[in-house]
Amino acid sequence: VYAYIDNIIIANKNIEEYLKYIEIVLNIFDKVYIYISIEKSFIAYLSIRLLSYIVNSEGVAKIDDRIAIFKKFKFPNTFKTLEQYLSIAR
């Protein structure tokens, strides 16, 4: 079980343990009157992308795809390429 600000990630290699952890977390929430939004919940996904990480049964892996884009990008030498660079950086 991983927690980050308002995100809780429950990952496991088998579905039985995964469901057990969900039940434990939901029971804890119930005891302290914490409610979750079902509309914003992802349950039983094989893999999810959260911020710049991929979470799956293998664990948590960092994704450096945005960094790779900047490494390949040449330094802007015209106004047009500067605009393109800034649009990627947003």
Side-chain angles (χ1 to χ4, degrees), residues 13-74:
K13 292 186 180 188
N14 73 47
I15 193 71
E16 291 82 18
E17 285 186 33
Y18 173 76
L19 294 173
K20 185 174 81 174
Y21 285 131
I22 288 178
E23 184 178 9
I24 291 168
V25 169
L26 292 177
N27 286 335
I28 292 169
F29 284 175
D30 189 44
K31 287 180 184 177
V32 294
Y33 305 103
I34 295 176
Y35 303 99
I36 62 169
S37 171
I38 295 299
E39 295 84 24
K40 294 181 180 180
S41 299
F42 300 93
I43 299 173
Y45 278 61
L46 295 177
S47 178
I48 63 165
R49 182 177 178 162
L50 181 66
L51 302 174
S52 58
Y53 295 91
I54 291 286
V55 180
N56 58 27
S57 63
E58 304 287 321
V60 180
K62 178 93 170 119
I63 302 171
D64 289 330
D65 57 348
R66 285 184 63 117
I67 294 170
I69 290 170
F70 285 105
K71 285 182 179 178
K72 291 179 185 177
F73 198 76
K74 294 181 182 177

